[in-house]
Amino acid sequence: MRKRVIDDRFELVERLGGGGMGLVWRAWDVALHREVALKEVRPPDPDMDQHDPEGARELRARVLREARALARLNHPHVVTIYHIVDSGDSGYPWLVMELVSGGSLQERLEHGPMTPQDAARLGREILSALSAAHAVGIQHRDVKPANVLLRPDGRSVLTDFGIAAVRESTSLTATGSFIGSPEYISPERINGVEGDPASDLWSLGMLLYVAVEGRHPLRRATTLATLAAVLNQDVPPPQRAGALGPVLGRLLTRDPAARPDTGSLDRMLASVADGSAPMPGPGWAPGPPPQKPPYEQP
C-alpha cells in the first residue's frame, strides 16, 4: 500500500496516538533521512468549517501563532518543532516535531510510582518547560503524564501544547466531550475562568501526586463526577510523598494566588531532590479554598 506523504516530504509510517486534538504519527523525513513526529491539530468538532468558518479560520491562525512561538524556544524540556506545514484555509496545519523515543511518563508509571526525590527532579524539568512557555505568553492547559515524554536517558520533554489554541477557540462541549483531562485541569478553569500560569502549576502538582502515589486522588467513574470532585472535594493527604508532601500541599490549593511562584517552587523541589528538605509532620492538607466575599444585605 502506498504511504501517505505530507508536503511532498514527510511519509507517514504509523499512528502513535491521538484524541480530540488531532492525530500524531511517526513519519520519515525523506529530505533529511530522519524520523520525526507529525501532528495535525484539529478541533474536536469535525464540522466546524461548515457551521463556524470564521471560528475555524481563527483557530488555524491561533495554532500557527502559538506553534511559531514554541518553535522559537530552544529548551531541553520543551518538544522541538522543526517545521510547520501550512495548507492555508483548505486544512489545519501539520506540526513537524522531534520524535522522542523513550515513551511517556504515563507508560513509565504503569510500572510503579516514583520516589519523592525522582518525582521532584522530574517536577523541576517540567516546571522549567512551563516557565519558558509562560515567558512567551503560552499556557499549556493540559499538563498530564501522557503529555510528558521521556528520552532514553530519562530526561523529560513536555509536549502537546496544541490544546492552548484549541481550547480557547472551540466550545468545551462541541462534540459532547470535554476538551482536556478533567482529573488534571485546575478548579478555576473548570469554573470557566481562563486562569493564568498558576493554573498550570495545579496540574503539575496533581501530576506529581500521581507520580509518587501511583493513583489519582480525585478520579471518579465518570467525567462529570471527576469534575465535581476536583471542584468540591479535598485532596486526601499523600501516603508516599515524604518531603514532597508540603510542596504538593502548596500546589493543590484551590486559590491560584496562594500557589507558589515558579522561583519558590523550583527551590522547594530542589531541596526535595537533593534530600535537604525536612520530612513533614502529621496533618498534611492542601491549602484552603478561596474565601468567598461576605454576603451583602440589599
Side-chain angles (χ1 to χ4, degrees):
M1 179 184 295
R2 183 180 178 89
K3 292 182 178 178
R4 185 181 178 189
V5 178
I6 304 300
D7 200 34
D8 295 323
R9 174 175 172 177
F10 304 102
E11 184 180 81
L12 303 186
V13 176
E14 65 173 330
R15 179 176 166 178
L16 297 177
M21 318 313 299
L23 298 178
V24 181
W25 297 80
R26 181 192 302 271
W28 179 252
D29 184 341
V30 299
L32 296 180
H33 289 207
R34 65 178 178 182
E35 286 191 317
V36 295
L38 219 63
K39 177 170 184 177
E40 183 184 17
V41 180
R42 301 180 299 180
D45 182 357
D47 297 323
M48 185 177 183
D49 281 307
Q50 282 70 43
H51 66 69
D52 187 11
E54 181 61 33
R57 283 192 292 271
E58 173 57 26
L59 171 58
R60 291 188 190 96
R62 186 175 176 86
V63 168
L64 287 170
R65 284 197 302 271
E66 298 211 351
R68 287 166 179 151
L70 282 171
R72 291 194 296 269
L73 291 181
N74 182 18
H75 193 279
H77 301 294
V78 175
V79 68
T80 301
I81 296 179
Y82 296 137
H83 182 64
I84 301 171
V85 179
D86 180 13
S87 55
D89 288 343
S90 62
Y92 293 96
W94 291 78
L95 306 183
V96 185
M97 303 173 291
E98 65 173 313
L99 181 67
V100 182
S101 59
S104 70
L105 176 62
Q106 178 173 295
E107 294 167 332
R108 155 65 184 83
L109 295 177
E110 290 173 359
H111 299 284
M114 304 175 73
T115 67
Q117 291 77 17
D118 287 343
R121 283 189 283 270
L122 173 74
R124 293 190 73 196
E125 293 177 354
I126 299 172
L127 177 63
S128 68
L130 289 172
S131 297
H134 293 164
V136 297
I138 297 174
Q139 297 177 49
H140 191 284
R141 299 176 176 82
D142 200 27
V143 179
K144 61 182 180 181
N147 284 340
V148 177
L149 304 180
L150 302 175
R151 300 188 190 277
D153 64 4
R155 289 179 300 149
S156 64
V157 180
L158 186 60
T159 187
D160 210 1
F161 286 81
I163 194 172
V166 177
R167 185 170 180 267
E168 290 187 355
S169 302
T170 62
S171 168
L172 288 181
T173 56
T175 59
S177 61
F178 188 85
I179 301 176
S181 304
E183 62 265 49
Y184 290 96
I185 194 170
S186 66
E188 61 270 18
R189 284 178 174 155
I190 294 174
N191 271 324
V193 177
E194 165 51 22
D196 56 26
S199 300
D200 280 343
L201 298 187
W202 166 283
S203 304
L204 174 59
M206 196 59 79
L207 178 148
L208 295 177
Y209 188 109
V210 172
V212 292
E213 294 296 299
R215 61 180 180 84
H216 194 289
L218 299 177
R219 183 182 289 126
R220 301 294 184 261
T222 67
T223 296
L224 288 178
T226 298
L227 293 172
V230 174
L231 280 174
N232 302 311
Q233 296 183 17
D234 292 334
V235 179
Q239 303 301 309
R240 303 171 181 265
L244 187 61
V247 184
L248 300 180
R250 293 285 307 277
L251 289 172
L252 297 176
T253 172
R254 289 187 172 85
D255 184 355
R259 296 170 201 153
D261 60 68
T262 55
S264 299
L265 177 57
D266 184 66
R267 289 189 291 273
M268 290 188 286
L269 290 171
S271 66
V272 176
D274 65 21
S276 63
M279 293 294 290
W284 176 92
Q291 294 296 314
K292 295 181 179 179
Y295 178 77
E296 296 181 0
Q297 295 288 344

